[in-house]
Amino acid sequence: MDTQQQLNFNRIAEAIDYIRLNFRSQPDLDEVAAKVHLSPFHFQRLFKEWAGVSPKKFLQYTSVAYAKEILRKQEATLFDAAYDTGLSGTGRLHDLFVTIEGMTPGEYKNGGENLSINYSYAETPFGNIIVASTQRGICYMAFAEEEAVAFAAMQSHFPRAGFRQMTDIIQQNALYIFTQDWKKLNQIKLHLKGTDFQLKVWETLLKIPEGQLATYGTVAEKIQKPNASRAVGTAIGSNPVAFLIPCHRVIQSNGTLGGYMWDPRRKAAMIGWEAARVNHDRAGLPDPL
């Protein structure tokens, strides 16, 4: 991400943070634009380029009222349909399957010893990421602006693995999820290090449809642990694969978005971005990005 892109990202992130914290007062375009020191015209254009939707519509998509409406409307029906069929989503994701393969007990216990991991850096609509893969699938994906920090965080997950900086076909296929050319998407395979409980929670997250939301309690019910909302939250917070495992689609039962390990502003951006994509699809409009 070059200097101008980083500046734009920071401005939009600040705007999203302001919208997220002040949605109750329904801030108008002039107010948010002034907050990030841009003219209303420039801010509107920049925001729509980055988020794919106007600031006003984004405010609607990320407000508590909208979140509650989504939760009421779905009544778990879309979630159940996706869950029961094994699909990771509906609409544009109807033919995209994401499957999880857990690492062997030896790999899990020994910190990835004898694993060969390829990794690379890439730009996404939500900032820079590091993405890593074994020969069996994506094993790690995280947002991080500084490459050295990103690599150190990844290495801590697999302290005994061997690393090689290179982009492979597994990574390329996974990164298509951020682009407009969905026809290139094949089945995405994940090769994850986690406990049986964590893997079960992450598999359940895959079945929350794009543009939809679920609560921690709903996820707990889906894994037949209705009293384990706190443990579910911990497992969600340990998600090693940003965006592909959509922990950003899980919110609190009162409709507030809640935290996100890669910055709550990114979570708000993802929810708004996906809502915009789904609504464009339903209206038969061109892709917003």
Side-chain angles (χ1 to χ4, degrees):
M1 188 179 289
D2 61 31
T3 303
Q4 187 59 50
Q5 287 175 318
Q6 184 65 57
L7 177 61
N8 289 343
F9 175 85
N10 290 339
R11 279 174 167 166
I12 298 305
E14 184 179 355
I16 287 172
D17 202 27
Y18 187 80
I19 290 171
R20 187 174 61 87
L21 295 175
N22 296 278
F23 71 90
R24 289 183 178 84
S25 64
Q26 294 292 295
D28 60 19
L29 178 65
D30 290 353
E31 180 181 343
V32 184
K35 183 66 179 178
V36 295
H37 310 293
L38 292 173
S39 70
F41 174 79
H42 188 193
F43 171 66
Q44 171 103 342
R45 185 179 64 182
L46 181 64
F47 194 97
K48 194 164 185 178
E49 286 177 357
W50 194 84
V53 67
S54 70
K56 182 177 180 180
K57 185 63 72 173
F58 187 89
L59 173 61
Q60 174 194 355
Y61 290 154
T62 56
S63 73
V64 170
Y66 181 80
K68 287 183 175 179
E69 180 184 356
I70 289 292
L71 292 174
R72 283 197 306 269
K73 278 184 176 179
Q74 72 185 57
E75 289 292 333
T77 53
L78 287 177
F79 188 106
D80 285 340
Y83 189 91
D84 292 341
T85 59
L87 296 178
S88 61
T90 59
R92 295 183 62 168
L93 286 180
H94 73 279
D95 58 351
L96 172 61
F97 289 83
V98 181
T99 60
I100 290 179
E101 177 182 345
M103 293 191 175
T104 65
E107 291 167 337
Y108 180 90
K109 181 179 179 181
N110 297 324
E113 187 175 8
N114 298 323
L115 273 181
S116 178
I117 296 176
N118 297 332
Y119 72 95
S120 61
Y121 303 95
E123 293 181 6
T124 79
F126 312 108
N128 292 339
I129 62 168
I130 183 172
V131 55
S133 56
T134 70
Q135 62 180 355
R136 285 185 277 177
I138 298 295
C139 62
Y140 187 81
M141 183 184 287
F143 292 99
E145 302 307 322
E146 297 183 25
E147 293 186 357
V149 173
F151 178 78
M154 176 187 65
Q155 195 174 35
S156 69
H157 282 261
F158 310 99
R160 299 183 182 180
F163 295 94
R164 178 173 56 172
Q165 186 172 356
M166 67 167 287
T167 304
D168 58 31
I169 190 65
I170 293 174
Q171 297 168 24
Q172 289 176 340
N173 180 50
L175 291 172
Y176 282 135
I177 199 167
F178 292 110
T179 74
Q180 299 180 53
D181 192 358
W182 288 66
K183 294 178 182 177
K184 293 184 178 180
L185 276 168
N186 297 314
Q187 185 181 48
I188 297 175
K189 295 183 178 180
L190 307 180
H191 184 208
L192 303 184
K193 175 185 174 184
T195 65
D196 289 343
F197 182 82
Q198 287 174 326
L199 292 174
K200 187 176 294 186
V201 170
W202 299 338
E203 286 174 345
T204 302
L205 299 185
L206 291 174
K207 298 174 178 72
I208 305 173
E210 182 186 33
Q212 298 296 315
L213 303 170
T215 66
Y216 296 95
T218 301
V219 175
E221 290 173 3
K222 293 302 173 185
I223 63 170
Q224 299 182 343
K225 300 284 185 181
N227 298 319
S229 293
R230 187 178 297 274
V232 163
T234 300
I236 290 174
S238 302
N239 173 20
V241 180
F243 197 80
L244 287 176
I245 297 179
C247 55
H248 59 278
R249 296 176 191 164
V250 182
I251 65 172
Q252 296 176 0
S253 58
N254 62 5
T256 57
L257 301 188
Y260 187 62
M261 77 175 85
W262 294 292
D263 192 335
R265 294 174 297 185
R266 277 199 175 93
K267 180 175 185 175
M270 291 173 183
I271 291 172
W273 188 71
E274 290 185 336
R277 288 165 68 91
V278 169
N279 278 275
H280 272 71
D281 284 349
R282 288 172 179 167
L285 299 174
D287 197 297
L289 289 181

